[in-house]
Amino acid sequence: MLPTPTKYTLVAGAGEGQTPLNAFDRALLESGAGNVNLIRVSSILPPGARYVETLPLPPGALVPVAYGAIKSSTPGDRIAAAVAVGIPEQGFGVIMEYSGYNYREEAERIIRQMVEEAFAMRGMEIKTYMVKAVEHRVQKAGAAFAGLLMWY
Amino acid sequence: MLPTPTKYTLVAGAGEGQTPLNAFDRALLESGAGNVNLIRVSSILPPGARYVETLPLPPGALVPVAYGAIKSSTPGDRIAAAVAVGIPEQGFGVIMEYSGYNYREEAERIIRQMVEEAFAMRGMEIKTYMVKAVEHRVQKAGAAFAGLLMWY
Amino acid sequence: MLPTPTKYTLVAGAGEGQTPLNAFDRALLESGAGNVNLIRVSSILPPGARYVETLPLPPGALVPVAYGAIKSSTPGDRIAAAVAVGIPEQGFGVIMEYSGYNYREEAERIIRQMVEEAFAMRGMEIKTYMVKAVEHRVQKAGAAFAGLLMWY
């Protein structure tokens, strides 16, 4: 099997570029996840995974990540991305992602409800809650990214 | 290299949530794939992979999956997702995914043709055919998911 | 951790099918990546990765890939996909992907600028540049795909 991640951190970033993909690249760089190969996953924090402030990711490494992201080429758009994780007393955590045309505070409010709903669905209780969010006002082409990076 | 999967099963689920992502989370839970990290792949069944009724997936595990999924926030929408695999006498199988505003029977009819076309393109003949599909009528925010989970 | 890829190649293909997914399947087959499980990543060439003309990918293998792709069901549409990588004197390379309703030459022009911008953002200089692009005129349902496949 593929090895289950044992560490994680939350990151977020936003930025501008000449194209939406370059803006996304900038957002990744701002978040600290710009020089790796992100593999998008949905979206469970493995039991026992340990939070770390920063992950020393080797360039080009294959890095599992649950993320929310949004790109826009409409000047003036306000965009936001958020990622959050709820962790119970014991066992796995549940990650939720959000992106939309919104303020950061609103993104954080919505994603909190999403994590709460995910826990209610599973009959679980949140012990620890973590969130990372970012907002951005588009100038030419902008992107916002928030992700929970998993590592070993 | 990454280890090539050796087992597989087909799952499907649908459900409601307060947001489309929560509905997707519910659909995953209903299917039995709600507590792992799905890695989406396109979309070949490795040669010799063995069908199993259920996969004992550890929570948070990285699980390769080929899937069709659809979310809708329009009450009354009928949505369907399907996954199917054709397997020849020998060698690899080909997986197809479908999602749309449709009935389950129609999803199953369409995906069958898709698998047949994929085999015709490769000059291969289907020996075994498996399909899993689900439909859902949206109340507030709904999602349907059908996937072929690969494992070891 | 997941093993970091050590080899790569660039591929592209386009084609027709009865459905957009079958057209995508055909495009993958034309490119030589039709019988594996592509795992989409974003999008760094690991340092020291070695270019090879062709990769002997086992059927059903899990293959990391950075790609651009587009599907269309509108007869007459001209679609293009491109992938490009810039590599500095030392260290990791940066991959960019493009897809759109466009000619191949235009796709190649745009993606060159994208790679240049990605290097400028990182304060790096391109030593080697590689691109692969394809265009297609849609008959019934068409797809174009260009990817940088990573392997071991």
Side-chain angles (χ1 to χ4, degrees):
Chain A
M1 56 181 276
L2 303 171
T4 302
T6 55
K7 292 180 191 169
Y8 70 101
T9 197
L10 282 74
V11 299
E16 289 284 313
Q18 291 298 312
T19 70
L21 184 57
N22 283 112
F24 182 63
D25 186 38
R26 168 70 84 178
L28 290 180
L29 281 170
E30 294 295 320
S31 81
N35 293 330
V36 297
N37 281 305
L38 297 177
I39 297 182
R40 195 171 199 170
V41 299
S42 78
S43 46
I44 295 295
L45 185 70
R50 187 161 59 85
Y51 175 78
V52 289
E53 274 291 327
T54 56
L55 285 170
L57 302 172
L62 300 175
V63 179
V65 59
Y67 71 83
I70 183 170
K71 302 168 197 167
S72 165
S73 301
T74 307
D77 271 359
R78 187 170 302 277
I79 56 178
V83 68
V85 60
I87 307 169
E89 178 75 37
Q90 234 183 346
F92 64 87
V94 184
I95 307 162
M96 283 281 149
E97 311 93 34
Y98 170 86
S99 63
Y101 298 87
N102 226 326
Y103 289 86
R104 197 185 77 169
E105 291 73 17
E106 188 63 5
E108 290 181 353
R109 193 187 63 74
I110 293 168
I111 204 168
R112 170 92 209 195
Q113 292 182 329
M114 292 168 71
V115 173
E116 285 172 359
E117 185 178 347
F119 269 69
M121 272 192 195
R122 288 169 174 82
M124 284 164 42
E125 265 182 56
I126 300 172
K127 190 197 167 198
T128 306
Y129 177 79
M130 304 178 80
V131 63
K132 196 98 178 184
V134 64
E135 76 175 44
H136 177 72
R137 191 127 179 281
V138 178
Q139 293 168 278
K140 180 182 161 75
F145 164 85
L148 186 148
L149 306 171
M150 304 184 197
W151 195 239
Y152 302 91
Chain B
M1 58 182 276
L2 303 172
T4 302
T6 56
K7 292 180 190 167
Y8 71 101
T9 197
L10 282 73
V11 299
E16 289 284 313
Q18 291 298 311
T19 70
L21 184 57
N22 284 111
F24 182 64
D25 186 38
R26 168 71 84 177
L28 290 180
L29 282 170
E30 292 295 320
S31 82
N35 293 330
V36 296
N37 281 305
L38 297 177
I39 297 182
R40 196 171 198 170
V41 300
S42 79
S43 42
I44 295 296
L45 186 70
R50 187 161 58 83
Y51 176 78
V52 289
E53 273 292 327
T54 57
L55 286 169
L57 302 171
L62 301 175
V63 179
V65 60
Y67 71 83
I70 184 170
K71 303 169 197 167
S72 165
S73 301
T74 307
D77 271 357
R78 188 171 301 276
I79 56 178
V83 68
V85 61
I87 306 171
E89 179 73 38
Q90 234 184 347
F92 64 87
V94 184
I95 307 162
M96 284 280 150
E97 311 91 34
Y98 170 87
S99 63
Y101 298 87
N102 227 326
Y103 289 86
R104 197 186 77 168
E105 291 73 17
E106 188 63 6
E108 289 182 354
R109 194 187 62 75
I110 294 169
I111 203 167
R112 170 93 208 195
Q113 293 182 328
M114 293 169 71
V115 172
E116 284 172 0
E117 187 179 345
F119 270 69
M121 272 192 194
R122 288 169 175 81
M124 284 164 42
E125 265 182 57
I126 300 172
K127 190 197 167 199
T128 307
Y129 178 79
M130 304 178 81
V131 63
K132 197 98 180 185
V134 64
E135 76 174 44
H136 177 72
R137 191 128 179 281
V138 177
Q139 294 169 277
K140 181 182 159 76
F145 164 85
L148 186 149
L149 305 172
M150 304 184 196
W151 195 237
Y152 302 90
Chain C
M1 56 182 277
L2 302 171
T4 303
T6 56
K7 292 181 191 167
Y8 70 102
T9 197
L10 282 73
V11 299
E16 289 285 312
Q18 292 298 312
T19 71
L21 184 58
N22 283 111
F24 182 65
D25 186 38
R26 168 70 84 177
L28 290 179
L29 282 170
E30 293 295 320
S31 81
N35 293 330
V36 297
N37 281 305
L38 297 177
I39 297 183
R40 194 171 200 170
V41 299
S42 78
S43 47
I44 295 295
L45 186 70
R50 187 161 59 85
Y51 175 78
V52 289
E53 274 291 326
T54 56
L55 286 170
L57 302 171
L62 301 175
V63 179
V65 59
Y67 71 83
I70 182 169
K71 301 168 196 165
S72 164
S73 301
T74 307
D77 271 358
R78 188 171 301 276
I79 55 178
V83 68
V85 61
I87 307 170
E89 178 74 38
Q90 234 183 348
F92 64 88
V94 184
I95 308 161
M96 284 279 150
E97 311 93 33
Y98 169 87
S99 63
Y101 298 87
N102 226 326
Y103 289 87
R104 197 186 78 168
E105 292 72 19
E106 188 63 7
E108 290 182 353
R109 195 187 62 75
I110 294 168
I111 203 168
R112 171 93 209 195
Q113 293 182 327
M114 292 168 72
V115 173
E116 285 172 359
E117 185 178 347
F119 269 68
M121 272 191 193
R122 288 169 175 83
M124 285 164 44
E125 264 182 57
I126 300 172
K127 188 197 169 201
T128 306
Y129 177 79
M130 304 179 80
V131 64
K132 196 98 180 184
V134 65
E135 75 176 44
H136 177 72
R137 191 127 179 280
V138 178
Q139 294 168 276
K140 183 183 158 76
F145 164 85
L148 187 149
L149 304 172
M150 305 184 197
W151 194 238
Y152 302 91

